[in-house]
């Protein structure tokens, strides 16, 4: 058994240089993707404000005061920017994508409001606009509409009630108007924001980095296909006929395969540590081993199921793409339907990404680690059974 292990190790050493070169190319491509997406994410954070045009307020003193109060006091100033312009200018700016939408205040709007008559405003957005912008504008207009109508009902309801009792309601109405204004400007205290952990507490860039690391490991497994795919099992049959254990032979193959993965992963990790000027602890390395074991065993099983190089490469590649995509390694998992998210939580690729995240954050998840190790053992047992089935079929 020792000679067999040494023979497989020599095959690995002959393949090591080409594997390193291909891994360097794959790693460079993934780094370019990571850098590009990170820059796009940074740019999107700068332009998160939605610009809304406001038409018809230039000649009204009170509307000007209201716009200045919104721009300087109201919490909406952090997400919405109001820009005064003419209607033709607003239409042109919206067509060119400079503003998201615009609001038109009709002539005499404020005078009619003082009389208790709210003239409808005209809200204009791009035809057929869908997505996040339209959702926010719809919610924004509904909130404004509700605030105006309810405030009007409250103020004039109190005034009518006081008049019916023969009392003057001017001071009460003024005080109530101030309370409504304070309530609107302080509405941010009614709720609090919290991060739901969509990116494991790492942010978009950290989440993307862990996902691409998982993709890279599976692509490194793909590079070993010339060594791992076997169309002829004559050597295995001969050794088994001489009394060698089939399970021992498969374990030797898997052990050599894991040594290759560990060697390549060690080189990549060393470069990342040097590039990020980070420190690596022994505990981080131990927590990374289940990732290589789980994904390596899964790759080993797929190689055992194939009988030629083309089918082995195709199976590895498409399995890696599909599993990584569904697991949220390529695209954030929160954008998928809830059913897909629940399914992805049980996939080995999703667990591998989470394990890498725990390594970076220096946190612990015993269940996730145990699940990866369990996946590795199950895949390895299935690999032994697949080899046994092939040998038995060849004998028959």
């Amino acid at each position: 058994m020792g000679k067999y292990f040494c023979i497989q190790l020599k095959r690995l050493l002959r393949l090591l240089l080409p594997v390193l070169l291909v891994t360097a190319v794959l790693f460079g491509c993934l780094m370019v993707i990571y850098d590009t997406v990170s820059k796009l994410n940074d740019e999107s954070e700068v332009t998160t404000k939605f610009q809304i045009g406001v038409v018809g307020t230039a000649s009204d003193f009170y509307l000007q005061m209201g716009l200045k109060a919104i721009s300087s006091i109201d919490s909406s100033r952090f997400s919405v920017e109001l820009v005064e312009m003419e209607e033709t200018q607003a239409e042109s700016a919206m067509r060119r994508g400079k503003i998201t939408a615009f609001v038109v205040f009709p002539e005499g709007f404020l005078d009619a409001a003082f009389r208790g008559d709210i003239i409808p405003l005209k809200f204009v957005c791009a035809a057929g606009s869908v997505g996040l912008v339209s959702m926010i504008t719809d919610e924004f207009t509904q909130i404004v509409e509700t605030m105006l109508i309810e405030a009007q009902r409250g103020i004039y309801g109190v005034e009518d009630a006081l008049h019916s009792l023969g009392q003057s309601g001017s001071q009460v109405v003024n005080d109530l108007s101030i309370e409504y204004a304070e309530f609107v400007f302080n509405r941010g205290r009614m709720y609090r924001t919290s991060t739901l952990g969509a990116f494991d507490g790492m942010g978009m860039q950290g989440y993307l980095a862990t996902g691409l690391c998982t993709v890279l490991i599976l692509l490194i497994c793909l590079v070993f296909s010339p060594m791992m795919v076997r169309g002829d099992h004559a050597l295995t049959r001969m050794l088994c006929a001489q009394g060698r254990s089939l399970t021992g032979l498969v374990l030797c193959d898997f052990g050599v395969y894991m040594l290759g993965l560990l060697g390549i992963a060690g080189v990549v990790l060393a470069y990342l540590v040097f590039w990020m000027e980070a420190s690596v602890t022994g505990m981080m390395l131990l927590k990374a081993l289940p990732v290589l074991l789980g994904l390596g065993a899964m790759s080993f099983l797929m190689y055992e199921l194939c009988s030629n190089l083309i089918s082995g490469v195709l199976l590895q590649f498409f399995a890696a793409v599909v599993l990584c995509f569904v697991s949220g390694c390529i695209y954030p998992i929160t954008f998928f339907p809830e059913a897909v998210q629940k399914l992805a939580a049980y996939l080995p690729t999703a667990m591998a990404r989470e394990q890498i995240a725990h390594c970076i954050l220096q946190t612990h998840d015993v269940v996730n680690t145990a699940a990866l190790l369990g996946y590795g053992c199950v895949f390895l047992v299935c690999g032994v059974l697949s080899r046994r089935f092939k040998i038995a079929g060849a004998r028959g």
Side-chain angles (χ1 to χ4, degrees), residues 87-264:
E87 186 168 1
T88 55
Q89 183 184 3
E91 291 177 354
S92 176
M94 190 178 66
R95 282 196 296 267
R96 289 183 284 111
K98 299 296 183 182
I99 61 175
T100 304
F102 65 90
V103 182
V104 179
F105 285 84
E107 187 74 23
F109 170 79
L110 206 57
D111 293 334
F114 286 143
R115 297 192 303 269
D117 183 17
I118 303 297
I119 303 176
L121 303 179
K122 183 169 73 171
F123 181 81
V124 183
C125 60
S129 60
V130 294
L132 182 62
V133 173
S134 62
M135 291 171 60
I136 291 179
T137 52
D138 289 343
E139 291 293 330
F140 187 74
T141 52
Q142 290 177 12
I143 290 172
V144 172
E145 178 185 6
T146 302
M147 287 181 175
L148 285 174
I149 293 176
E150 297 302 326
Q152 180 188 22
R153 288 174 178 174
I155 291 172
Y156 288 105
V158 169
E159 187 176 26
D160 291 342
L162 291 173
H163 280 308
S164 64
L165 296 174
Q167 299 181 17
S168 175
S170 58
Q171 185 60 41
V172 176
V173 170
N174 290 337
D175 294 340
L176 184 59
S177 300
I178 294 174
E179 287 188 20
Y180 272 123
E182 291 178 348
F183 174 78
V184 171
F185 285 126
N186 293 326
R187 68 185 184 280
R189 299 179 182 177
M190 297 175 59
Y191 55 86
R192 63 180 180 182
T193 59
S194 61
T195 302
L196 298 178
F199 300 123
D200 296 333
M202 303 181 64
M204 179 61 180
Q205 293 183 358
Y207 181 93
L208 179 64
T210 57
L212 291 181
C213 284
T214 307
V215 175
L216 180 62
I217 292 173
L218 289 176
L219 291 180
I220 293 174
C221 293
L222 179 65
V223 179
F224 286 93
S225 54
M227 171 185 166
M228 299 305 300
V229 177
R230 296 183 180 184
D232 186 7
H233 293 278
L235 177 60
T236 305
R237 290 197 302 271
M238 182 186 70
L239 293 174
C240 289
Q242 294 177 357
R244 301 295 192 277
S245 170
L246 177 63
T247 302
L249 295 175
V250 175
L251 290 177
C252 286
D253 291 335
F254 180 71
V256 172
Y257 184 40
M258 286 303 299
L259 286 177
L261 287 178
L262 287 171
I264 300 300

Side-chain angles (χ1 to χ4, degrees), residues 61-112:
F61 174 75
Y62 290 105
L63 286 178
Q64 286 287 326
M65 286 182 58
L67 291 178
K68 290 179 179 178
I70 292 175
S71 302
S72 58
I73 301 175
D74 192 66
S75 59
S76 62
R77 69 186 186 275
F78 298 113
S79 56
V80 178
E81 181 180 358
L82 301 178
V83 183
E84 294 184 67
M85 52 182 62
E86 299 293 332
E87 186 168 1
T88 55
Q89 183 184 3
E91 291 177 354
S92 176
M94 190 178 66
R95 282 196 296 267
R96 289 183 284 111
K98 299 296 183 182
I99 61 175
T100 304
F102 65 90
V103 182
V104 179
F105 285 84
E107 187 74 23
F109 170 79
L110 206 57
D111 293 334

